[in-house]
Amino acid sequence: ERAQRYGVDCGEGLEWPAGWVPGREYAKPLVLTNKSDSAMRLRYRLPDSKYFSMAFPEEIFLLPGLTHTLVVTFRPVHLESYDDAVQFSNERGTFYIPIRAHVPSAAAVVPETLDFGFCPVDETAVRTFPISNRGQLPITFEWSYDGPFRLSPASGAMPPGSSVTITARFTPSDATVCVVRCVCTIPEDRAHVMTLEGIGKYPFLASDYEAINFGRVLVGATARAEFRLSNQSPVSARYFISQRERDAARTVSLAPVSGVIPPGGAETVTAIFRPDVRGTQTREIYDVVTTGGNRIAIECAGEAIGPIVELSARSVDFGDVPIEEPRRTVTRVVQLQNRSNSHVPFQLHAVEENGAFAVGCTAGVVPPRLSHTLRLTYSPSEPGNYYRRVVILVHNQAPLCLDVVGTGFNDKKRPMTLALPVVARARARARRGLHLLSPEELDASASAKRARSAALLEGASSGSGEGESEGEGESEGDQDEDDEVELMNEVFHGCCDPTAALAFDEEYLDFGAASRLRVGEPRLLRLTNRTRGKIAVRWALPHGYASGGSLDRLGAVFAVNPATCDVAPESTATFKVHFLPRSDSQHYFQRLECVASFKSMRSFRLVSEDNFVPPWSLAVGAYGHTFAPGTSRFIAQPLLSHPVLSFPVCHVGETGYQTVSLTNEGETPMMFSLRTGASCNFAIVPPAGVVPALGTQLLAVRFSPTEVAQYDRTVSLVLNGEEANPLKMRLLGAGSEASLRLPHGGRLFLPTTCVGASSTACLTISNPTRLPLAYEWDLPESAADVLSVSPAAGVLSGKASLQTTWVFSPSSPGPMLAKVPCLVSAVDSRTGGTGSYEVLNQVLTVSGAGASGQLSVSPAVLDFGAIQVGLPRRLPLTLVNSSTVDLWYELSFCRTEACAMDEAGEADVL
């Protein structure tokens, strides 16, 4: 502007920035340029201040485009600001060129506003902004504010030319608009005011599914389901998913369990159900919680089932087999069929491969949808009856059983042929507690029964006598139910059942370390005969040890003395068991089978259909090893299917069973023994054994809760004698009893209802336990006419809730108070879902009142007056309910005086 107006360009002036020192001299050139198109004469005047000096003023002649330089000298005496000007003049006018000298100063730059926009409630939004020091002096700052905003750092210092990044946080506590004025105090400069703005909003999530039912899932398999979380709010929603209760093993997992969903966005959550224990009925509730927002409950339900494995036959009858030379062998085949889609390990419990009934393979794995052949061979060496109930343990499934019978005879001894109906009758007698009777007592009982039947036939009530006889015969010939509890009781009691007719004092004999070079001390084994008849005992020992060395296969490695004996009624017999190993550095484990029968069963001449009793087969486990002290054994390579075994919840006083597989992944046999006795609540069978190379051993585990509590026990399996490094297995279980949770302290209040009308109320009952329960409302007769409930009975699964509807229909005015019992019982899944436990009586107090209605009409008379034909007229009629109950009404018209119109006309008029 100066160049256009005066034709001279000399810049904006001269400035001495901070940094100069009083007492010194500082010079700067002032350059004048002629920007016009003609020559000019310039005159200037010295500055007024004595601190700025120039050469004596002389007229300056400038041609167009030429420059002239003047020197301005600054001589400060104090550290303060100096401000002056040089006056110039030419033909066009006068103008001034400023000259200044600055001292160091502070100059802070702070933003005036910061807007956070929308922010979720109880979430923290973060923004950053800089503050700068553009001066030449260091400065300090300090923020002062209030409200839901936070600034960090709240104070600090800045050297010249630097900046600091401030972090601002906004955490709204509710949905509101927040505007806060923050003051940044800088003592060296001034106070800067900054406005912070933000709006709090509640996040809201919605789910397309709130209940997921996986159905029945095979143990070890995986079922997946998805649900979608959508954010329907204008702010981002941070969510967390947590399990509401953690009183049972976790079988359902969700992924992801946390995240942030942007406004209007959605995220898919995957639910995975992976059960590892059969019988588990899962009903878990997961809470999807948003910070400051809503809560969604997602219910996940599923049931774990085991594989379906069946036997092609439940019994094998070898019939009569002669004992002759060459030795005759009879073979039967049974198929173990797997109808599921998973591999299923199985184990023939307490069965030796070369026992009385030889089995080709006592353990294995059945492939999916295929079958495994069990080849049974019977080759008796001594005359007599043979019977064995073989229990087959199936992994993750209830056990199976196979009854095997056979009879061996020769020219000198011919026992009566043992058939399966004889076994069935004997087991039926055992269930009735008659298994201790001798053959003579059975004969006497049968004779007495026939005498009673004959007497009844001769009397007047012969028809009822026939019915009684038939009923008794049917009871005696009942087949075993063969349910899981009965079979597992046989597995766990083994040959030491205190209620059995015959029992040993020990089932497993541990010989420890032995040597093939010397005979060790024998173990004593005591057999107790609780029957009232003489028992003949003979041992059917395996010939050789198939899993041992070549010498072990040639002869028996365990011997029993005496091999045969007779045991008097209600007395005992003692046997000596010897361990005779034939190889070094070898593990040994065998089942020694003892076959016992009544002495009178040796010949068919002494046996009748009434007193025929099948033999008993008792198997004793014997084990030891031949590793020298101090020598290292084989390195065990175990694989346990369930390092943590969590039983489904079990009713107090009942028993739950599971199976665990122990796999030997090594190429040498692996011996195991239970070092830590489980407890009175947990038990494991077998407690010892040898797992062949690359083989699998099934362990049966029992859980018997004695009270309502959580049970936790860790057991140790010693492998190959390594006491210092046992294999640990944790056992978890929960004992529970049926209980129904009634809200409001067991009270239900029904609204006051008009007599003749009905009202309804809803009551939600819930099962706080994980046991399924059956319930039934038992309405008292005094309230049955005015009170009803739906559903009146049903079954509630574990952790489930049900809404019941109560209908109140009073027949007279006045209060109503009824105590309604609810009969609650746990459900036994083995009985088809019926309540079979102790019935609990829980009382619900229901109160209500009946009242009479009061209805008035205003006005009492409607006078339409004279009305022109064809023109309608309307008058209001007010119905007033002055009572405390709801009233149902219906308007109808009737004539009180005779008139000329007919009925049809009256209906059209009113």
Side-chain angles (χ1 to χ4, degrees), residues 797-884:
S797 57
K799 295 295 181 180
S801 298
L802 177 69
Q803 181 174 285
T804 60
T805 303
W806 295 75
V807 180
F808 177 43
S809 305
S811 58
S812 61
M816 185 277 300
L817 180 65
K819 293 186 177 296
V820 182
C822 184
L823 307 180
V824 181
S825 173
V827 173
D828 190 352
S829 59
R830 299 186 297 269
T831 61
T834 60
S836 62
Y837 296 92
E838 180 182 358
V839 177
L840 180 67
N841 192 347
Q842 295 186 241
V843 178
L844 175 68
T845 301
V846 182
S847 59
S852 300
Q854 297 179 4
L855 187 65
S856 59
V857 181
S858 177
V861 177
L862 287 179
D863 186 2
F864 286 90
I867 303 175
Q868 184 179 351
V869 176
L871 295 179
R873 184 178 182 185
R874 293 180 176 86
L875 292 179
L877 179 66
T878 303
L879 304 179
V880 180
N881 180 10
S882 56
S883 63
T884 59

Side-chain angles (χ1 to χ4, degrees), residues 209-252:
Y209 293 102
E210 295 187 359
I212 299 174
N213 191 350
F214 294 98
R216 297 162 63 89
V217 179
L218 188 67
V219 172
T222 299
R224 297 175 181 268
E226 293 181 348
F227 62 93
R228 189 176 179 85
L229 296 176
S230 57
N231 184 5
Q232 300 179 359
S233 60
V235 294
S236 60
R238 184 183 301 274
Y239 70 91
F240 302 91
I241 302 178
S242 61
Q243 188 176 349
R244 184 173 296 181
E245 297 183 10
R246 297 182 180 271
D247 58 343
R250 185 178 180 184
T251 57
V252 178

Side-chain angles (χ1 to χ4, degrees), residues 531-616:
T531 69
R532 300 166 191 168
K534 181 182 287 188
I535 297 295
V537 177
R538 63 182 182 276
W539 288 88
L541 301 180
H543 182 73
Y545 183 55
S547 301
S550 57
L551 295 178
D552 293 321
R553 301 187 186 98
L554 299 178
V557 295
F558 291 98
V560 180
N561 185 28
T564 62
C565 73
D566 294 340
V567 185
E570 299 180 346
S571 63
T572 61
T574 301
F575 301 91
K576 291 183 179 180
V577 183
H578 299 270
F579 181 31
L580 307 173
R582 300 169 183 265
S583 301
D584 293 328
S585 302
Q586 181 71 45
H587 292 295
Y588 293 88
F589 183 91
Q590 273 192 327
R591 296 280 181 174
L592 312 181
E593 190 173 353
C594 173
V595 180
S597 62
F598 283 113
K599 187 75 172 178
S600 59
M601 299 293 109
R602 65 185 182 276
S603 174
F604 69 93
R605 295 182 179 87
L606 305 176
V607 179
S608 66
E609 185 177 351
D610 297 328
N611 66 3
F612 197 4
V613 179
W616 294 272

Side-chain angles (χ1 to χ4, degrees), residues 481-548:
E481 294 181 2
D482 296 338
D483 63 1
E484 179 180 8
V485 174
E486 182 179 353
L487 293 178
M488 279 300 191
N489 281 337
E490 294 185 18
V491 169
F492 278 88
H493 287 150
C495 62
C496 298
D497 188 355
T499 63
L502 300 178
F504 284 108
D505 58 345
E506 290 185 78
E507 187 175 2
Y508 293 90
L509 302 178
D510 183 6
F511 287 87
S515 173
R516 65 179 178 84
L517 302 179
R518 62 180 181 273
V519 178
E521 291 293 327
R523 294 290 304 271
L524 298 181
L525 189 63
R526 181 178 290 105
L527 175 66
T528 300
N529 176 15
R530 299 189 180 92
T531 69
R532 300 166 191 168
K534 181 182 287 188
I535 297 295
V537 177
R538 63 182 182 276
W539 288 88
L541 301 180
H543 182 73
Y545 183 55
S547 301

Side-chain angles (χ1 to χ4, degrees), residues 250-313:
R250 185 178 180 184
T251 57
V252 178
S253 60
L254 304 182
V257 295
S258 62
V260 178
I261 303 177
E267 186 162 355
T268 299
V269 180
T270 302
I272 301 175
F273 180 45
R274 186 183 293 109
D276 59 355
V277 175
R278 69 180 179 91
T280 301
Q281 292 186 352
T282 297
R283 186 175 297 274
E284 302 291 350
I285 297 179
Y286 289 82
D287 291 322
V288 182
V289 182
T290 57
T291 305
N294 63 320
R295 179 188 296 260
I296 305 174
I298 306 295
E299 182 181 277
C300 298
E303 181 181 358
I305 61 173
I308 301 176
V309 179
E310 299 174 347
L311 284 170
S312 60

Side-chain angles (χ1 to χ4, degrees), residues 309-512:
V309 179
E310 299 174 347
L311 284 170
S312 60
R314 294 183 57 186
S315 59
V316 174
D317 188 352
F318 284 94
D320 292 329
V321 178
I323 302 174
E324 57 188 10
E325 294 295 338
R327 197 165 173 177
R328 179 175 296 188
T329 299
V330 180
T331 302
R332 297 286 187 270
V333 171
V334 177
Q335 297 294 330
L336 191 61
Q337 300 165 344
N338 181 8
R339 304 190 184 281
S340 63
N341 295 320
S342 63
H343 290 80
V344 182
F346 71 92
Q347 180 95 37
L348 274 64
H349 177 70
V351 174
E352 192 67 30
E353 291 186 3
N354 52 358
F357 295 103
V359 183
C361 180
T362 60
V365 178
V366 188
R369 300 293 176 181
L370 295 177
S371 60
H372 181 88
T373 300
L374 297 178
R375 188 179 301 275
L376 290 86
T377 302
Y378 179 47
S379 179
S381 59
E382 295 291 336
N385 294 319
Y386 291 83
Y387 163 65
R388 181 72 187 272
R389 164 160 281 201
V390 179
V391 178
I392 304 175
L393 298 178
V394 182
H395 195 32
N396 293 321
Q397 183 55 291
L400 306 173
C401 74
L402 181 66
D403 288 327
V404 186
V405 297
T407 302
F409 69 94
N410 58 19
D411 296 338
K412 296 181 179 180
K413 291 184 180 180
R414 181 64 187 247
M416 178 173 282
T417 302
L418 178 61
L420 290 169
V422 177
V423 175
R425 288 194 295 269
R427 298 189 71 88
R429 289 196 298 269
R431 288 197 299 273
R432 302 204 307 271
L434 304 178
H435 58 295
L436 303 182
L437 298 179
S438 65
E440 293 75 16
E441 291 173 322
L442 291 176
D443 271 333
S445 175
S447 299
K449 185 186 300 183
R450 281 192 293 269
R452 288 195 303 270
S453 299
L456 290 174
L457 286 173
E458 294 177 358
S461 58
S462 60
S464 62
E466 289 179 357
E468 180 182 355
S469 177
E470 291 175 2
E472 291 179 357
E474 290 174 359
S475 175
E476 185 177 1
D478 283 345
Q479 293 292 330
D480 293 340
E481 294 181 2
D482 296 338
D483 63 1
E484 179 180 8
V485 174
E486 182 179 353
L487 293 178
M488 279 300 191
N489 281 337
E490 294 185 18
V491 169
F492 278 88
H493 287 150
C495 62
C496 298
D497 188 355
T499 63
L502 300 178
F504 284 108
D505 58 345
E506 290 185 78
E507 187 175 2
Y508 293 90
L509 302 178
D510 183 6
F511 287 87

